[in-house]
Each structure stands twice: as structure tokens, then as C-alpha cells.
Amino acid sequence: MMLDVKNVSIAFRLSADRVTSLKEYALRAVTGKLRYKEFLALKDISFSVKKGETFGIIGKNGAGKSTLLKVVSGILKPTTGSVCANGSIVPMLELGAGFDMDLTGRENIYLNGAILGYEEAFLNSKYDEIVDFSELGQFIDEPIRNYSSGMMARLAFSIAAVVQPDILIVDEILGVGDSDFQKKSKDRMLELMGGGTTVLFVSHSIEQIQEMCSRVLWIDHGKVVMLGGAEKVCTAYLSNQ
Amino acid sequence: MVEKKTIQKAALYSILIFAIVAVFFYYAGGEQFKSRDVSTDDPVVATGGLPEITAGHIVKQPFTLDADNISQVKLTMATYDRVNTGVLIVSIRHGESILGSATVQLESIQDNTDLTVVFERPINITPGEELELCLESDGETGNAVTAYYGSEISLAKGSVEKPLSKEDLAQFDETPIDGILCFQVSGRESLVFGQFYWYGVAALFVLLVLYWLVVIKRLNRGKTSMSVLFIIAMKKYKFLIKQLVSRDFKAKYKRSVLGVMWSFLNPILMMTVQYIVFSTLFKSSIPNFSAYLFIGIVCFNFFSEATSMSLQSISGNAALITKVYIPKYIYPVSRVISSCINLLLSLIPLLGVLLITGNHISLRSLLTVFGLVCLVALALGIGMILASMMVFFRDTQFLWGVIITIWNFATPIFYPESIIPAQYMTVYKMNPLYHIVRFMRIVLMDGVSPDPKAYLFCILASFIPLALGILIFKKCQDRFALYV
């Protein structure tokens, strides 16, 4: 078993009552108005993913898909329940996290790579591949504040796409940049997902889910609606809409 | 297994480093670890003079001293403004037996000044026993000296009556005088620490070896320990920390003309400004003021920079914290390490100032490393507390701006600690930075090791805040992603 999610619930304190200054806190603590409204973003979710499996998650906007991915990747800690992962996890949730505008493309490759958990030797060996894939050429030694948004997205994608994780978490298959690069990046992503790694895949495109996943989890309002074979769950999901 | 090899290497290194450090401390600690100076209270204010001390008369002054030997006595003498001939015999007695004595030529005694009598060989005593300081002379009337006495202690403002019991009073030929001699006896007390240093080192050494044996044995059975997890984490996140630190450093000096030179220039310029202000405007009386000031500035600058940077480390990296998983402690730790690089760079101009002002730098100066480690631990501890507070209360950053200014004035950076009234000294010494700055000054300016107590205070002053910081940070870190 690569990934085991057991009875995960997550509760947020609603921002209406969030206290952000000491004075306000003291005032409320004294007057006894320190109350919180709890909101359960995830309620008692359990599932497990086998090695090499591509596991899909579907649901409407606000169903809790992204929260679930954040819990699995360790960014959020579940209020109750546990997540057990055997191996390295690379979340492709946000590309270019931690980019520093004042640093050059080259420096950002190392910084962003380190943030994603790559090792130094790995980055050194993959450096040329990243630069080639991003098609940035000579601009790689320019500070990235001078980059266009397309160049930045290309660089970010190229760094993320060299991973060889045990578990890959994908939130929508991204196509970035111009149409040529979009095709190239989509192909690269499909290649990564088909390469035998364990994949956790979230998408709004039911066709993609049906095509790639063996099992699918359908969540709504933070609760599990259905868990089972891709065909069965997708049919139920479509007929529900 | 790679892990096992790493652990064995770490164990070997830690044992080796421990042995080197233990030997180094013994060498660097020197006399300071074995004994320390002790004296009786400061001399009283002279308010009267005894009759002439002539042949056949004897002055006795009872005292006690918690020391193992007595090396010298300070007395305030009068010569009636003339040159006398003969000798003065200063002796230390216990009951009837004379423990030791020294002879002073009367010609060498100056009128109305302190006379320091050094015994040829330190006089061994039992700590705390009741002793008498005796003065005798072979002078005759009109050709003799005498000693001053008094009963008041001088303070910064005026003087107060010293509480004296009947037994304390000086005697002239067995007749009690209305006061005590203006005297101070000094000696050295041998320290338990120095006597048992090697026993302590040996015990710790055995404990360390045993600890690693247990860790390795547990590892063989597939169990992890704190230190194993720590080493794995260090190995795993070394590269990330390196990248974050180099980003901080590059970002700080990017687009500035002088760049890294500012790390040298900043402390030098600050010291110059404060030096001019305090030495000319306020007429500071501290000897070697530039070195005194520079050590204070370098320590405080680091503390202020490291804590302010850590304060922002969680809230300023909100974009990262909500998007990628990185252990949260990496953020404050990387900020403190960035400040450490600045600290190391500012040590270079400090070394320059020390050499120019004539402080001799020896191998013993390496003891500053101990002070620096304590300083970094303190800054990290406070930084972690601030970083956690900042997530929940944004007011922290403004509060800290005020507190750091108060802290600056509460630390003896540009003034001598002697200006603090004695009754506030206990509160004043609660400031952890006080102990660390004091430690650094003793090592770098006096060129000796501080006494063992100073080490203990430094450890307490830095590792208690660090433990507290880690505890608070650990308790709050799971909620960072929700609030930041």
C-alpha cells in the first residue's frame, strides 16, 4: 500500500470570528466573546491507493478536493484521522512556489528544486534537461523579474516536470505557455502519469479521469459519496448532475 | 545501509569533537577554572586615624574570608606628613598563632594613600575561620606611622553607616576602636569545578559513548531515536537550507553597489558614530572603549537582526507554507543562519579593532565560539517564539520594535554596568544578553577565561529560551497553514 488515508476530518475556524490583534483577543477573552464557528471541510474520509495505481478524485467546486490534496501532501494537518504515505510525495499543485524575482532563472531552478525536495546531485544532473525543456536558452541567466509570464510558467513547469516521485499528486493536467508548449507540457504530464508511478489525480474532465484512472473517489461537501471503479463512479457522477 | 553508516560517522565525530573541546576548555580555562579571586568588602571611608603605632603597641583587626589562601592586604596609611624610619610588620593570625607576615619599610609608605602589602608566599587558611590582621612597628613617637579607620561605606551618592557588631571592631592594644580599619584582604578560593573537571569530562564521555551505543543498537532493531531522525532531517534539508540562506543573502545585497561590503561597513560605521557620541559628548570612562563598544554592538546587532528576520519567517513565507510541505522550523532556522553569516563577517572588523587597540589575540580567544553559540541559540529561541506569535497576532512586529529598543538600553553596550544601582542588579542580570556580552568581553578584552559560573549563566541564558522557543513553535506549527 503506497498511501493510506484513514478517517480524515478537517475543521476550519471561520474567519468571521478570527482575532488578529492582541488587543482584540484580550478584549474578547475578558468579555467571554471568544467563540469560534467550526466548519468541517472534510468529514471522515478514508481510502487507500496501491503502488502504481492512478487514483482519481472528482467532485464539484468547493467539494474539498484541493483540501484533501493538501492534507495528503502534508501541507495541512488533519484535525482527526491520519495519512500514511510510503515514499516521497511531489505535489504538482502550484508551479513556481517560492520563485524569487531578484534571482536569475538558474538560481531559481535550484531554489525551487530544493523547495520541491529534490537533492542537489539530482538537480545538477537534470539541470540541462530543465533548461532545454523550458526553451529559455540564453535568458536563463537573467533575473526572472524580466521574464514574461509565459516564460515564468514554462520555467516553473520544467522544474516540476523532471520529478521522479513515488507518489505524484496532480491537480488538473496543466497546459502552460503558447499552444506548442501547451501540447508539449500536456504530453510530458501524461508521460509522467503513465510511467508506473502512483498518481493521485484531480480533474474536472470526466473523460480524462475515465481514461487514466482505475479507481475513483467522488466527494461532495467534504464527504465521500462514492468510491469504486472508474466506470461506475463516473457514470453515477454524470447522471447526478 | 546508508543510514547506519551516517549514524556511525556522526557518533564518531561527536565523540571526537567532545574530546577536543574538553581538552581545549581545560587549556583555555587555565587558572580561572581552578580558583577565583575573593576579597573582603571594599574598604570603609576613612574618618579617623589611630594613635601612632610605636614599638610595643599592636593593632588588631578581626575578619573572615572564604578563601583558601591570602595573597595581599590593602591598607590606608598616614605618615604625619614626614619620612619615618623603621619597619611595619603586617601579620595574619589565628588566635595566638601567626600564619604569615610581611615586613614593610616605613620610608616606602606614602601619606594618606593605600598601601598594598603582598605576601611573599600566599598564606594558607581555612575558609571562613576567624582571623586577625595585625599591625606592629618598631617606630618610636615622632617617627612612626598609623592607619586610618572608619565605619561608613561610600556609595555613588554620599555614604551610609556600615552595620558593625562588637566583634568586628578594630582594637588598639586590646581596646576597641569606634570603627574598623580601612582595609581589604584578598586571596584565592579554589573551585570544586577545577578539581573535578576531568572526572566530569570522563563521566560525560562515558555517557556519550553509551548513548550512541544504545542508538545504534536500537537502529539495528529497526527503531529510530531522536538523534537519528535529526541526522536524517539534516541530511535531507541541508540543500534546501543552503538554497534559502543563499537566497536571503543574494536578495539582501542585490542591486546595491557595495553589496557584501555592507556587512563589514555597517558595524564599523555604527561603532564610529556611537564612539564619537559617547566618548566625546558623554565622556565615557571605560578603558579601551572602542573594543568595549564594538563587542557590544556586534552581539546586539546580530541578536536584533536574527530575531527581526525570524519574526517574519512564517508570515512572510505564507505563499510557500500553504502550497508546499516543508518542515516549518526550516524557515526560522534558515533566517538565523543567514544572520550568522553576517555575524561572522562582522567579526573581521571586530578583530581589526581588537588588534589596533592592543588586545592580544591568542588561542584562548577561541572561547568566543562558546559565547557565539550561546548567542545564536538565544536568538533562535526568541525568533521561534516571535515567529509563532506573529502568525496569530500581527501586532507582534510593532511590539517587538519597541521591545528591542528597550532591550538595547537594558544591555551594557555603550555604558559600564557599574552605573546600575546595586539594588537593581538582580533584575538587571535577568537579561540573557548581559551574560553573553559580558562573557565575550572577558574573553576578548581581558584575554582570560571567565570563571565557571559565567559559563553556566551563559548556558542557562541561551538554552532555556531555546527550549521554550522550540516547545511553543512545535505546539503552534500545525495551525500555521490555516492562519498565515
Side-chain angles (χ1 to χ4, degrees):
Chain A
M1 208 61 71
M2 267 324 253
L3 181 69
D4 205 5
V5 176
K6 267 192 204 145
N7 309 101
V8 163
S9 295
I10 213 162
F12 288 109
R13 283 177 177 177
L14 276 191
S15 61
D17 265 30
R18 216 170 80 172
V19 184
T20 49
S21 85
L22 205 60
K23 183 188 134 202
E24 207 180 328
Y25 185 88
L27 220 71
R28 279 166 189 261
V30 169
T31 53
K33 278 185 188 161
L34 209 60
R35 280 192 312 252
Y36 300 102
K37 245 199 277 175
E38 287 216 324
F39 167 73
L40 282 173
L42 294 177
K43 286 172 217 157
D44 199 24
I45 300 224
S46 303
F47 65 92
S48 52
V49 183
K50 288 192 219 58
K51 191 170 166 45
E53 189 180 18
T54 302
F55 188 86
I57 299 171
I58 52 174
K60 278 188 269 187
N61 276 333
K65 301 186 298 286
S66 295
T67 310
L68 182 58
L69 292 190
K70 280 187 176 179
V71 171
V72 170
S73 51
I75 298 164
L76 288 177
K77 202 168 180 190
T79 315
T80 57
S82 66
V83 175
C84 178
N86 297 313
S88 63
I89 300 181
V90 168
M92 290 182 84
L93 302 179
E94 196 82 25
L95 298 179
F99 266 7
D100 192 300
M101 290 299 148
D102 278 331
L103 300 185
T104 64
R106 178 193 299 272
E107 287 164 338
N108 268 307
I109 289 178
Y110 281 93
L111 177 62
N112 188 241
I115 287 168
L116 291 178
Y118 302 170
E119 277 168 28
E120 191 168 11
F122 175 77
L123 260 179
N124 280 333
S125 69
K126 291 282 181 179
Y127 177 77
D128 290 331
E129 197 181 308
I130 294 171
V131 179
D132 282 348
F133 195 89
S134 69
E135 299 168 9
L136 281 167
Q138 54 179 352
F139 297 111
I140 202 71
D141 284 318
E142 284 292 311
I144 62 166
R145 72 184 123 86
N146 298 337
Y147 283 17
S148 70
S149 53
M151 286 161 87
M152 204 111 74
R154 258 152 53 198
L155 180 64
F157 182 88
S158 310
I159 302 168
V162 296
V163 284
Q164 288 163 335
D166 298 322
I167 302 168
L168 182 67
I169 296 181
V170 180
D171 193 353
E172 297 292 344
I173 293 180
L174 299 161
V176 296
D178 55 23
S179 57
D180 278 350
F181 197 83
Q182 269 187 23
K183 190 178 176 309
K184 191 169 129 184
S185 51
K186 264 188 186 163
D187 289 348
R188 174 76 187 129
M189 213 138 175
L190 293 174
E191 186 191 323
L192 265 178
M193 291 167 67
T197 45
T198 312
V199 183
L200 213 59
F201 179 36
V202 167
S203 179
H204 282 113
S205 157
I206 299 300
E207 297 90 65
Q208 273 182 352
I209 293 270
Q210 258 177 328
E211 186 189 326
M212 306 197 57
C213 302
S214 47
R215 285 193 308 141
V216 172
L217 172 74
W218 170 16
I219 54 174
D220 196 28
H221 290 103
K223 279 185 287 196
V224 177
V225 179
M226 209 173 173
L227 172 64
E231 205 69 28
K232 203 176 96 193
V233 178
C234 288
T235 320
Y237 178 73
L238 286 173
S239 63
N240 182 266
Q241 283 183 326
Chain B
M1 209 158 85
V2 188
E3 251 171 53
K4 205 178 148 190
K5 255 194 181 149
T6 321
I7 303 297
Q8 280 168 347
K9 225 163 83 185
L12 209 67
Y13 277 144
S14 70
I15 291 169
L16 211 67
I17 289 172
F18 175 79
I20 292 170
V21 167
V23 172
F24 171 72
F25 269 118
Y26 188 76
Y27 159 75
E31 268 312 296
Q32 263 66 25
F33 276 8
K34 291 181 200 130
S35 60
R36 68 188 183 99
D37 288 321
V38 279
S39 307
T40 52
D41 297 342
D42 284 337
V44 288
V45 183
T47 49
L50 293 169
E52 272 179 286
I53 305 170
T54 49
H57 292 291
I58 181 162
V59 179
K60 286 185 180 172
Q61 172 61 58
F63 72 93
T64 57
L65 182 63
D66 277 320
D68 293 276
N69 63 54
I70 290 172
S71 52
Q72 64 174 45
V73 176
K74 206 164 79 180
L75 290 159
T76 314
M77 302 297 290
T79 63
Y80 301 96
D81 200 17
R82 65 192 177 213
V83 178
N84 303 293
T85 51
V87 290
L88 176 74
I89 299 164
V90 179
S91 57
I92 305 289
R93 300 185 190 191
H94 177 58
E96 286 305 304
S97 62
I98 299 175
L99 301 176
S101 66
T103 308
V104 184
Q105 296 296 323
L106 292 187
E107 292 96 321
S108 66
I109 298 174
Q110 303 273 315
D111 199 16
N112 303 335
T113 43
D114 287 341
L115 167 72
T116 305
V117 182
V118 182
F119 295 107
E120 210 166 291
R121 173 171 311 140
I123 301 165
N124 291 323
I125 60 165
T126 314
E129 72 182 334
E130 294 192 357
L131 299 169
E132 278 175 332
L133 168 68
C134 299
L135 304 179
E136 288 165 288
S137 176
D138 62 352
E140 54 236 37
T141 312
N143 184 24
V145 295
T146 193
Y148 278 110
Y149 69 90
S151 59
E152 287 174 348
I153 315 162
S154 104
L155 290 178
K157 287 175 195 154
S159 54
V160 291
E161 198 70 25
K162 187 183 170 85
L164 293 169
S165 72
K166 207 160 175 250
E167 288 74 40
D168 296 330
L169 297 179
Q171 295 164 1
F172 190 81
D173 289 344
E174 312 295 329
T175 322
I177 309 289
D178 186 24
I180 58 170
L181 291 185
C182 303
F183 81 110
Q184 188 171 35
V185 181
S186 309
R188 287 186 79 83
E189 179 192 10
S190 61
L191 297 174
V192 183
F193 185 83
Q195 287 165 14
F196 293 100
Y197 182 80
W198 288 115
Y199 295 105
V201 167
L204 284 177
F205 187 83
V206 170
L207 275 180
L208 192 66
V209 171
L210 278 177
Y211 174 76
W212 283 115
L213 283 178
V214 169
V215 166
I216 290 171
K217 205 167 175 195
R218 277 170 63 97
L219 196 68
N220 286 343
R221 277 187 282 147
K223 285 184 197 164
T224 57
S225 332
M226 274 275 280
S227 46
V228 174
L229 291 176
F230 177 76
I231 291 163
I232 293 172
M234 273 300 109
K235 238 186 123 173
K236 192 169 171 194
Y237 294 111
K238 199 175 67 188
F239 178 54
L240 174 60
I241 291 177
K242 207 169 94 186
Q243 288 299 322
L244 287 174
V245 168
S246 92
R247 176 197 60 176
D248 282 346
F249 205 69
K250 280 178 194 152
K252 190 171 173 184
Y253 294 122
K254 208 111 202 183
R255 296 204 250 178
S256 78
V257 182
L258 290 175
V260 73
M261 283 299 289
W262 278 112
S263 284
F264 300 102
L265 275 177
N266 200 30
I268 292 180
L269 293 177
M270 291 227 342
M271 192 214 73
T272 315
V273 172
Q274 296 198 20
Y275 182 79
I276 292 167
V277 170
F278 292 112
S279 65
T280 58
L281 263 57
F282 291 95
K283 307 257 183 286
S284 171
S285 59
I286 305 169
N288 201 354
F289 185 58
S290 49
Y292 183 91
L293 186 63
F294 211 129
I295 295 171
I297 290 178
V298 165
C299 290
F300 195 82
N301 260 10
F302 164 76
F303 180 72
S304 156
E305 186 192 311
T307 48
S308 312
M309 295 247 294
S310 315
L311 172 85
Q312 301 280 359
S313 63
I314 301 292
S315 49
N317 278 316
L320 269 182
I321 284 168
T322 51
K323 274 156 201 157
V324 218
Y325 171 74
I326 297 173
K328 308 284 187 294
Y329 63 83
I330 297 282
Y331 299 104
V333 165
S334 73
R335 290 288 170 91
V336 170
I337 293 177
S338 310
S339 307
C340 280
I341 294 178
N342 261 329
L343 172 67
L344 292 178
L345 288 176
S346 65
L347 287 182
I348 297 169
L350 173 64
L351 189 73
V353 168
L354 287 173
L355 287 174
I356 289 167
T357 56
N359 291 275
H360 46 267
I361 301 296
S362 66
L363 202 57
R364 198 164 277 174
S365 309
L366 277 179
L367 283 175
T368 38
V369 174
F370 176 84
L372 292 178
V373 168
C374 287
L375 186 62
V376 172
L378 172 68
L380 182 60
I382 303 277
M384 284 179 122
I385 297 174
L386 289 173
S388 331
M389 274 179 75
M390 181 65 184
V391 175
F392 303 107
F393 304 111
R394 296 297 158 117
D395 305 37
T396 309
Q397 55 184 324
F398 306 111
L399 264 173
W400 187 242
V402 179
I403 292 174
I404 199 83
T405 312
I406 298 173
W407 206 324
N408 189 7
F409 287 113
T411 312
I413 294 170
F414 50 80
Y415 58 84
E417 59 174 276
S418 57
I419 67 165
I420 304 297
Q423 65 264 39
Y424 298 125
M425 215 50 200
T426 327
V427 182
Y428 189 72
K429 283 183 177 171
M430 294 289 199
N431 175 5
L433 267 181
Y434 162 84
H435 296 285
I436 296 169
V437 170
R438 180 171 169 268
F439 182 95
M440 301 284 274
R441 283 191 180 134
I442 292 175
V443 170
L444 290 175
M445 292 176 65
D446 301 345
V448 294
S449 158
D451 60 52
K453 240 190 198 163
Y455 287 87
L456 180 69
F457 281 136
C458 277
I459 290 174
L460 291 180
S462 52
F463 286 91
I464 291 178
L466 180 63
L468 202 67
I470 292 174
L471 214 72
I472 292 176
F473 193 85
K474 209 173 163 188
K475 227 182 147 202
C476 299
Q477 62 176 358
D478 292 339
R479 286 181 289 150
F480 286 168
L482 299 176
Y483 282 83
V484 79

